[in-house]
Amino acid sequence: MPSLTGKVTLITGAGSGIGAATARLFAREGAKVALLGWPREELKLMAREIEEEGGEILLLPADVTSEEEVGEAFELLRRHWGQLDVLFSNAGINGTWAPLEQLAAAEWDQTLNVNLRGTFLTTKASLPLLKVRGGSIIITSSVNGTRMFCTAGATAYACSKAGQVAFAKTAAIELARYQIRVNVVCPGFIDSHIHEHTLRRGLEGLRHAVDTLEGPIPLTGHTAGKPESVADLVLFLASERSSHITGTEVYIDGAQSLLQS
């Protein structure tokens, strides 16, 4: 029997990359899958793809930085399926990578709002449903800000990712009494579209900093990891196979961060 049969899952940032790979995998493993985000064409295509393969999908239009919209999305989920077992808080941006003196406060706020505030809001909104019978929360962080600190200009991004790990560890203690587990995946360089939307500015003047996207990966050479590999890890953390794991970050980077920590 598939490992998520009878489970209701919710994924943010499911239009591409790690989120899309996880949505496909969750559906194949028997889960009902809610996709929270802006209903852009890529998200609609993902929903259509899963439905055509026999999966059950619910589109929840919402901006993860808006408390009102996130709350309304979870209320729609409650009315539609009446339960939640797994939250995958995956939505995130690289934002702007620039030297500190060139980084605008608005650019800092945008990165922290999407990555950290979005994680907080989706987790908070999930709790009334998850508390009913327990479940699993998985958060996508990064090697940046947790084990690597040399990515040129990525101060805002690194701080948001470090904050997600601290958030998860604190939440894991608070929510353990409800049998809710909270864990973090920390990918390295993964073949996704997030890097195409990164604004880089003034990085050539930074010393002792590198472009980690171009660095070596011991396990694969210079080949980026696959979103499907991260999805396999997320599935493990969502399933009962990880029933005694909480408050833990798991690195999935082909040992890349060990060379640059």
Side-chain angles (χ1 to χ4, degrees):
M1 178 181 294
S3 60
L4 295 182
T5 297
K7 303 289 187 180
V8 172
T9 65
L10 187 148
I11 301 172
T12 67
S16 62
I18 293 169
T22 303
R24 295 185 187 101
L25 183 58
F26 276 10
R28 290 198 299 268
E29 288 294 319
K32 299 176 181 178
V33 185
L35 307 178
L36 188 153
W38 288 112
R40 297 187 178 93
E41 191 59 32
E42 62 180 10
L43 203 60
K44 294 177 182 177
L45 288 172
M46 172 57 53
R48 193 177 308 136
E49 175 187 330
I50 292 175
E51 286 178 332
E52 288 174 353
E53 294 179 0
E56 292 189 62
I57 283 287
L58 176 64
L59 274 179
L60 299 173
D63 175 356
V64 295
T65 70
S66 167
E67 184 173 19
E68 181 180 4
E69 291 183 17
V70 169
E72 290 173 352
F74 276 86
E75 176 58 21
L76 284 173
L77 173 66
R78 185 194 65 79
R79 293 205 301 262
H80 191 78
W81 282 330
Q83 72 181 71
L84 179 65
D85 302 284
V86 177
L87 168 66
F88 182 30
S89 186
N90 170 71
I93 61 171
N94 279 350
T96 300
W97 290 2
L100 284 174
E101 65 271 24
Q102 294 186 27
L103 188 65
E107 293 170 333
W108 171 277
D109 289 344
Q110 180 190 34
T111 301
L112 271 290
N113 281 341
V114 174
N115 295 353
L116 194 51
R117 176 183 169 92
T119 296
F120 161 67
L121 289 178
T122 52
T123 299
K124 179 182 177 181
S126 74
L127 295 181
L129 288 168
L130 286 175
K131 282 183 176 181
V132 173
R133 57 182 192 178
S136 178
I137 297 170
I138 305 104
I139 297 166
T140 300
S141 178
S142 173
V143 294
N144 281 293
T146 59
R147 202 153 71 174
M148 288 169 54
F149 301 90
C150 57
T151 302
T155 306
Y157 180 78
C159 286
S160 72
K161 294 299 161 178
Q164 287 177 312
V165 173
F167 174 86
K169 290 178 181 291
T170 306
I173 295 294
E174 180 178 329
L175 301 176
R177 61 183 292 194
Y178 304 107
Q179 298 300 301
I180 298 172
R181 299 179 295 107
V182 188
N183 292 294
V184 186
V185 295
C186 295
F189 183 26
I190 302 298
D191 185 13
S192 70
H193 296 294
I194 188 172
H195 307 291
E196 298 172 5
H197 305 290
T198 306
L199 176 61
R200 295 176 172 85
R201 186 173 63 245
L203 301 182
E204 63 281 352
L206 289 181
R207 295 183 178 181
H208 310 303
V210 299
D211 185 346
T212 53
L213 304 185
E214 300 299 326
I217 302 173
L219 201 60
T220 62
H222 286 270
T223 303
K226 298 298 183 184
E228 290 76 15
S229 297
V230 185
D232 286 337
L233 173 58
V234 175
L235 174 62
F236 169 71
L237 293 172
S239 73
E240 294 304 314
R241 295 175 183 175
S242 60
S243 61
H244 202 54
I245 301 175
T246 193
T248 298
E249 68 270 40
V250 184
Y251 292 91
I252 178 164
D253 68 344
Q256 178 187 24
S257 61
L258 296 179
L259 294 180
Q260 299 169 339
S261 57

